[in-house]
Amino acid sequence: ERIVPRNPRCIITLEDGSEHAVRLIDISLSGAAFASDHQFEMGTAIRLGGTAAMIVRRFDGGYAAQFRMPLSADALDENLEL
């Protein structure tokens, strides 16, 4: 199941501490899709908001990140903010 968050704005933080504003496309228990003007490398460790993740895929219009630990099913709704 994927949800579209009400607030799509999020900050990605890279390991070097740099931050990039992104737009969340959707969120699932195991990861999230987001759009960004920044170019990210596959396999890059990130924090998507406060959630540790890794960029695993690039697609037309954005990127997919896999969470290091899946989210709780109880937390997955449109009000979720990462």
Side-chain angles (χ1 to χ4, degrees):
E1 176 183 6
R2 294 190 163 278
I3 59 104
V4 175
R6 280 189 190 184
N7 178 9
R9 290 184 223 119
C10 191
I11 299 292
I12 283 186
T13 306
L14 301 179
E15 288 183 318
D16 67 4
S18 63
E19 296 182 340
H20 304 275
V22 300
R23 182 182 56 81
L24 294 171
I25 298 169
D26 61 38
I27 305 170
S28 71
L29 295 178
S30 62
F34 63 91
S36 173
D37 293 333
H38 186 77
Q39 298 294 314
F40 296 100
E41 296 290 325
M42 298 310 100
T44 300
I46 60 171
R47 290 196 73 75
L48 195 52
T51 306
M54 179 182 298
I55 296 175
V56 295
R57 187 167 45 94
R58 184 176 183 182
F59 58 89
D60 187 31
Y63 295 88
Q66 181 177 9
F67 300 139
R68 293 223 188 264
M69 299 292 292
L71 299 177
S72 164
D74 296 339
L76 192 64
D77 71 26
E78 64 272 0
N79 295 312
L80 176 65
E81 291 191 19
L82 297 176

